[in-house]
Structure formats: C-alpha cells, structure tokens
Amino acid sequence: MPTNLKELEDRLWQAADQLHANSHLSSAEYSKPVLGLIFLRFAEVKFSKAHEQLKAKFANKRRGITRDDYQELSVVYLPEKARWNHLLHLPEGADIGKALNDAMTDIEKENEDLKGILPKTYTAFDKSVLVELLKIFNSIPMDIEGDAFGKIYEYFLGKFAMSEGQKGGEFFTPTSIVKLIVEIIQPFGGKIYDPACGSGGMFVQSADFVSRHKGGTLSVYGQERVEDTVRLCKMNLAVHGLGGTVIQGNSYYSDPFESVGKFNYVMANPPFNVSGVNKEDLKSRTDRFPFGMPKPDIANYVWIQLFYSALAPNGRAGFVMANSASDARQSEMEIRRQMIEAGVVDVMVAVGSNMFYTVTLPCTLWFLDKSKTELTAKSAKDAKGKEKNLGGSNGLGVRSKDTILFIDARNIYTQIDRAHREWSEAQLGLIATLARLYRGDDLNGFKLEESQFPNLTEAQLTTLKSAIKNRKYADIAGLCKVATIKDVEAQGWSLNPGRYVGVTEKTADGVDFAARLEELNEELETLNAEARELEEKIAENVVNLLEKK
C-alpha cells in the first residue's frame, strides 16, 4: 500500500479516467456510478471490520448477528449479494450492471438513511468497464486509515467537477476555497447551515476542523435545488462518517428548517447573478429579507440576506460572491449600507482568477459576524480618556463594532496548471492568520514559509513576520487593511478590498498585466450592473409615461 494517500488517489483516478476515455459515456453519466463504487468499497471495509468485532462479541452466545447489531455500530448493513467480494467474483457470464443495480437497491432497503440516494445506472456501462472498475477500487487496502475514503471521494468529486465544466461548478466548490471559509469562520461546534450545499464540501471541512481542534458536536443542515446533487451530498456525508439533514428544495422560496435566527454558522457558494427570481413571492418574508428587495433582476442580494437572517445572535457566515456585488449601486448599495451600518460585516477577501474549475473570473469571500455588534466602537474611550480594548481573547485584536478587515489575496496562489490555481496549506494559513490577528484569536502555531509567497514583496514579508512574531495585527499595503465604517462610507459603501488595501511599490518591470486586467474586469462588472439597473429604470419610466397618456 502506498504510504502517500496522494499517490493512491492519483493512481485510482488515472485508471478510472482511462476507462472513461474508452467508454461511450459522458462525464455526468460516468461520474455518479463511479462515486457509488467508492461508497460501496468504503461500506465494505467498515462492514468487514464490524463483522470481526461482532463475531468476537457473540462467539459464545446462542443468537446470531443481526442487521441491528451492525447499525448500532453506525455501520451500513450490506446484504450478502451487495458485498464487494460477491460482486468482484461473479461468474463470467453474469450481468454485472444488473447485479450492481440490485446491490444498491438492496442496501437502500436495509438502511433507511440511504433510501433513494445510491446510483442505479450501472447497466449503461459496458461489462468490461465495470469489471475493471471493481478491480481498480479493490486495490484500496482494507486497513486504510480512518478518513482516507472521504478524501478519495472528495478527490474524485473535484476531478469530475473539472471534467464536467459548468455543470461541475454547480455541485463542487474547490477544496481550498472551502477550507479558507472554514478557517476564518472557525466552527468549533453548533448548528451549521448551507442553503446551496452542492455535494456537501462545507460540511466535510467543518467536521474536519472540529476534529482537529477537538471542538464540540456539529449538527448539519443543508438544502440543494438539484435532486441528483442531494444524492452526491448524502453519499459524501456517509463516506466521511457524518450524519445530517439535507433536503431537496429551492432556498429562495422554501425554508424547511425555519432558519431565521437559528444557526451558529452559515456557509455557502451560491450561484452568481441568477435572474428570474420571483421577488413578489418573497417580499412578505421581511424576517428572511430584512433589508428589502433589490430592484435589479439579480439574486445576489437575495442570497446575502438569506445567509444573514439565518444566523443566531452570535452567528458567523462565510460565503462566495460575485465581485460585482461588492460595488453594486442603487438598491443593492442600500441593502449593503444597512448591513455595514449594522456592524455585521467582518472580513472581505478578494480572490484571484482561475480558482474555480468552471469560471476564470475572480470572486470575493464575504464574512459576517453578528456577535461583532456587541463589541466596543473603535472611537470609544474609557473613563480616563484612553482607547478601550477592541476585542480578542488576548487583548491584541484590533477588531471593533465599526471596523472591517479587507484582504487582497489575489497575489497568493499556487498554479496547478495553465488554467487552474489553488491555495497551499501554508497560503491558506497566512490568509486565515490575518483574520485571527485582526480578531486577536489564537494563531494555532502558524509559521510563515516565505518560499510559499513568491508574489509578495520583501516589505510585505518583513511586516508579516513582525506581526506574527508579536501577535499584533498591522496594515500591509497591497495585502490587508482595517477600515472603519466612515472609511467605507467615503468609498460609496464599496466592499471591494482593492479600494482599501492600496498597492505595493511596483518593480522596474512596471505594471502586472494580469492584475491590471482583473481590476479592469471588476470595473466592467460594476458598470454592467449599473447599466442593467438604469435600463430597468428607463423602461419603468417609459411605461409610466405611456400610461399617463
């Protein structure tokens, strides 16, 4: 067995992808049944270990081992004909596709939590492909470490998302984006909600965070519009040994969890710039949309309010959003202004291009924190006229009720290939550390690896080293800036980090073409949004004039 999980993942993927290349199936047709086989192999490993444990327990007892005995150990019960060895050693003339479909059906019958989740389209595969797939996944060792299956499943999810293009982006958020949201939110325990949960990556990474930090119990709640994606999510949770409630539904109109004020954490990667949402049906729900309805036919600020309203009084939210939402004007700016003045906007992170598998455009990560409203205002003085401590358990934080941390992370990335980027663990750690310095939180032993940041200047790195060593936040030109609400008002209530962090000194080579192109693209997105709103206003005025005639 390779000691390196990455080697195992790569080997499994290369073999499975080669089979796909020689099949007649599309990526969408191929992906879900293959993920189903990973799930089945995982279930077999857990079942076999439980079987040995139960055999020893009941060795001297009259009654045999029952399905309930396995399920009491939180193990998926596998009927005999659904077990891996039975399927792997079917006779040569057997219909393997039908046998796999029957196996998935039988597993669902015996395990209520899996009802309607598992794929049953194996008869669409050529027999030779199924035989080889069973052999490929049979090479996963039975003594593989605890969460390795979950990591393999997530790895395959990401690879399939990349190969499925735009459709892949609907169910999978790149792991490094999810990890950063989790590291800044810090979900130590409580209720977590994702109203656009896709394949469940936010839940998986949150559970991993709780495990690493020895946090409390995490309760998972999710809603997803596409039924097939709900199945992917439930399989993903099962492979990671997680429970939770995930429901199929449209989060604009459906609120099955009665979410208002209920959740400690909200995390999401919603679809950007959606049009056609029936806002008339939503207007009456002022509890879910407390800042009013945006006038443009764009749902970004519908989503943002859904996330905000679902938070408990001490709740935190982290979500991905189109860059244009940070600068949108008129009615959307009015909603944004109310949120900023309420003191709930905590951290904004600008993310560079090519971080997603399906779109090259940059985006912004928003972080809200309702508990921030209870902090002292930055301008407050104590009885002796000295500035009050602004927050943080160690007194070194600079966060206050009327501050927002802006981080420009566009120059922090690792290039995977020509069209894709990600964050390394060291890069994720630095961005999260900036937020922790701002809040005065524990840095979790973070150490700066300078080699991981080739695009940062010597001046930026020097300031970072000092800030981390002294555990004291510092503004760094071109990277991070703490702004007050008055600063934001002066910028037209913009939440675009680029407006606040400034720029570093340019080298002799002059302007960075890619960075300048990103800036121009952001400006174009903002102008386009304003143009759409003006078009609607003009059309409305024309209708009013015609009606008066």
Side-chain angles (χ1 to χ4, degrees):
M1 162 186 172
T3 55
N4 188 329
L5 180 61
K6 185 72 171 67
E7 290 178 13
L8 177 60
E9 289 172 339
D10 287 342
R11 178 169 59 78
L12 292 172
W13 172 256
Q14 287 167 11
D17 193 43
Q18 182 64 37
L19 286 173
H20 176 217
N22 294 310
S23 76
H24 62 279
L25 300 170
S26 68
S27 290
E29 291 170 324
Y30 187 73
S31 60
K32 294 175 183 64
V34 169
L35 290 167
L37 290 178
I38 296 174
F39 169 82
L40 184 58
R41 180 63 174 160
F42 155 80
E44 175 74 21
V45 168
K46 298 281 282 185
F47 180 85
S48 297
K49 289 178 180 177
H51 183 69
E52 294 304 312
Q53 184 180 340
L54 291 169
K55 268 203 320 183
K57 180 179 178 180
F58 290 100
N60 299 316
K61 296 186 180 180
R62 290 185 178 182
R63 79 172 183 87
I65 304 170
T66 67
R67 177 189 66 180
D68 292 343
D69 295 320
Y70 290 97
Q71 292 176 343
E72 281 178 12
L73 296 174
S74 299
V75 169
V76 174
Y77 177 72
L78 298 179
E80 189 172 342
K81 290 186 178 180
R83 295 174 192 172
W84 190 268
N85 280 338
H86 171 79
L87 295 164
L88 184 67
H89 297 108
L90 285 170
E92 190 173 333
D95 186 338
I96 298 178
K98 183 177 183 304
L100 281 166
N101 285 350
D102 291 344
M104 296 298 181
T105 299
D106 290 346
I107 292 169
E108 289 184 349
K109 285 179 181 176
E110 298 288 349
N111 300 272
E112 186 66 27
D113 289 348
L114 297 175
K115 189 174 182 180
I117 294 174
L118 303 179
K120 306 173 193 71
T121 55
Y122 292 97
T123 50
F125 283 61
D126 290 340
K127 180 178 178 180
S128 59
V129 171
L130 291 175
V131 169
E132 288 305 311
L133 283 171
L134 286 168
K135 289 179 181 177
I136 289 167
F137 293 123
N138 191 58
S139 69
I140 301 175
M142 292 291 283
D143 60 351
I144 196 167
E145 62 188 45
D147 64 346
F149 270 101
K151 290 177 179 175
I152 292 169
Y153 187 94
E154 284 271 302
Y155 180 80
F156 269 67
L157 267 176
K159 289 291 190 179
F160 281 130
M162 197 179 294
S163 65
E164 290 188 36
Q166 186 63 40
K167 192 174 190 322
E170 293 177 6
F171 65 78
F172 186 79
T173 304
T175 302
S176 63
I177 294 282
V178 179
K179 281 184 175 180
L180 181 61
I181 291 174
V182 169
E183 288 297 323
I184 292 180
I185 289 290
Q186 300 186 99
F188 288 107
K191 293 181 178 179
I192 179 172
Y193 178 45
D194 184 345
C197 67
S199 56
M202 300 287 181
F203 304 138
V204 168
Q205 294 303 326
S206 295
D208 179 66
F209 180 91
V210 169
S211 176
R212 284 187 286 113
H213 293 273
K214 296 180 170 53
T217 302
L218 201 65
S219 301
V220 165
Y221 300 84
Q223 186 164 219
E224 167 57 43
R225 182 179 60 85
V226 180
E227 192 171 348
D228 267 359
T229 307
V230 172
R231 296 189 186 105
L232 282 180
C233 180
K234 289 185 175 181
M235 270 201 293
N236 196 11
L237 292 179
V239 169
H240 282 87
L242 301 174
T245 306
V246 179
I247 293 173
Q248 190 272 326
N250 188 324
S251 292
Y252 300 130
Y253 314 108
S254 172
D255 185 22
F257 303 116
E258 298 179 351
S259 62
V260 175
K262 185 171 183 177
F263 295 99
N264 304 105
Y265 308 100
V266 175
M267 304 180 195
N269 174 23
F272 296 170
N273 302 321
V274 173
S275 60
V277 175
N278 188 344
K279 295 173 191 168
E280 289 300 317
D281 286 357
L282 307 180
K283 279 183 177 178
S284 62
R285 288 299 305 269
T286 54
D287 55 341
R288 296 185 78 203
F289 308 102
F291 303 118
M293 277 291 131
K295 289 182 180 177
D297 188 19
I298 303 171
N300 294 338
Y301 277 85
V302 174
W303 281 114
I304 290 170
Q305 292 189 79
L306 279 177
F307 305 146
Y308 167 83
S309 64
L311 290 175
N314 64 344
R316 286 180 175 178
F319 51 90
V320 190
M321 187 49 60
N323 271 357
S324 56
S326 302
D327 284 307
R329 309 301 294 172
Q330 299 188 33
S331 63
E332 291 171 304
M333 184 187 75
E334 175 58 22
I335 293 170
R336 191 169 64 249
R337 178 191 66 78
Q338 292 179 70
M339 294 180 67
I340 293 167
E341 290 190 327
V344 297
V345 181
D346 192 23
V347 181
M348 300 291 295
V349 181
V351 179
S353 58
N354 295 323
M355 293 292 286
F356 286 81
Y357 298 150
T358 55
V359 291
T360 59
L361 295 177
C363 67
T364 306
L365 305 183
W366 292 48
F367 296 90
L368 311 179
D369 189 344
K370 279 193 174 178
S371 70
K372 191 164 79 80
T373 62
E374 299 172 6
L375 295 177
T376 306
K378 185 174 183 180
S379 57
K381 309 284 184 181
D382 64 18
K384 295 181 180 179
K386 295 181 179 180
E387 284 194 0
K388 291 185 177 180
N389 173 43
L390 297 178
S393 56
N394 55 30
L396 298 179
V398 298
R399 184 171 78 145
S400 74
K401 179 178 180 179
D402 59 352
T403 60
I404 300 171
L405 172 63
F406 292 94
I407 300 173
D408 189 343
R410 289 177 296 179
N411 288 324
I412 298 174
Y413 59 84
T414 297
Q415 198 77 33
I416 306 172
D417 54 39
R418 186 183 61 83
H420 300 100
R421 297 171 177 174
E422 66 180 9
W423 287 312
S424 67
E425 290 298 322
Q427 291 164 345
L428 282 167
L430 174 61
I431 301 168
T433 292
L434 292 173
R436 289 170 185 163
L437 286 169
Y438 162 66
R439 291 174 178 154
D441 291 343
D442 185 2
L443 302 188
N444 295 326
F446 176 77
K447 293 181 180 179
L448 183 66
E449 298 176 37
E450 293 185 46
S451 62
Q452 292 285 309
F453 304 95
N455 296 326
L456 297 187
T457 66
E458 186 175 338
Q460 287 175 319
L461 290 168
T462 299
T463 308
L464 278 170
K465 283 187 284 187
S466 175
I468 293 165
K469 179 181 177 181
N470 298 314
R471 296 180 67 195
K472 190 172 182 179
Y473 173 84
D475 289 336
I476 301 172
L479 181 60
C480 59
K481 169 74 175 179
V482 173
T484 65
I485 289 178
K486 285 186 178 179
D487 295 332
V488 176
E489 181 180 8
Q491 290 289 340
W493 303 107
S494 169
L495 289 176
N496 181 345
R499 291 200 181 209
Y500 302 93
V501 303
V503 295
T504 71
E505 292 183 16
K506 296 292 181 184
T507 63
D509 293 330
V511 176
D512 182 330
F513 173 77
R516 181 58 181 151
L517 185 61
E518 284 184 15
E519 290 170 8
L520 291 171
N521 183 70
E522 289 175 15
E523 187 176 343
L524 177 62
E525 285 185 0
T526 301
L527 292 171
N528 284 339
E530 290 179 12
R532 286 192 294 269
E533 194 155 349
L534 285 171
E535 284 175 8
E536 290 185 6
K537 203 164 208 177
I538 292 167
E540 187 180 325
N541 289 338
V542 169
V543 170
N544 290 336
L545 286 170
L546 292 173
E547 286 177 348
K548 288 178 181 178
K549 285 187 175 182

